Amino acid sequence: MSWAAVLTLGVGTYLLRLVGIVLRDRMTVPERVERYLDLAATALLVALVATATLTEGGGFAGWARPAGVLVGAVAAWRRVPFVLVVVLAAATTAGLRILGVP
């Protein structure tokens, strides 16, 4: 996925949220639709992370990168400082690649 696509999706998500704030008092959206809009942003971010984690050049990226992302996710979940999350994820991916894991 190119940076232009990521930026476009990010701007689209931001504008979607901005429109909600601007039009909040001017129109009524059913509660069910509001819930779906909130879930859509989360689903979009999860899809971006999954695509960036699992694919490279149109194929599977190998097991080292998903393992690094998993270690980073667990570290973030355990509320480890962000710098350490990044270092743990990168070190896991690099270590697995040194060991020959694709």
Side-chain angles (χ1 to χ4, degrees):
M1 181 170 288
S2 68
W3 280 104
V6 171
L7 289 175
T8 301
L9 291 172
V11 168
T13 300
Y14 178 77
L15 288 176
L16 183 64
R17 291 191 176 266
L18 184 63
V19 166
I21 292 170
V22 170
L23 297 178
R24 175 174 281 179
D25 296 332
R26 296 183 182 163
M27 63 183 286
T28 303
V29 177
E31 190 173 314
R32 186 175 183 184
V33 173
E34 282 187 29
R35 178 163 166 74
Y36 286 141
L37 289 175
D38 286 341
L39 291 175
T42 303
L44 178 64
L45 290 174
V46 170
L48 286 172
V49 169
T51 302
T53 300
L54 299 173
T55 63
E56 181 175 326
F60 182 57
W63 292 105
R65 188 185 305 167
V69 171
L70 180 64
V71 168
V74 170
W77 176 56
R78 301 301 301 166
R79 298 184 185 266
V80 173
F82 181 71
V83 172
L84 190 55
V85 169
V86 172
V87 169
L88 287 171
T92 300
T93 301
L96 288 173
R97 287 185 176 162
I98 287 172
L99 293 174
V101 177

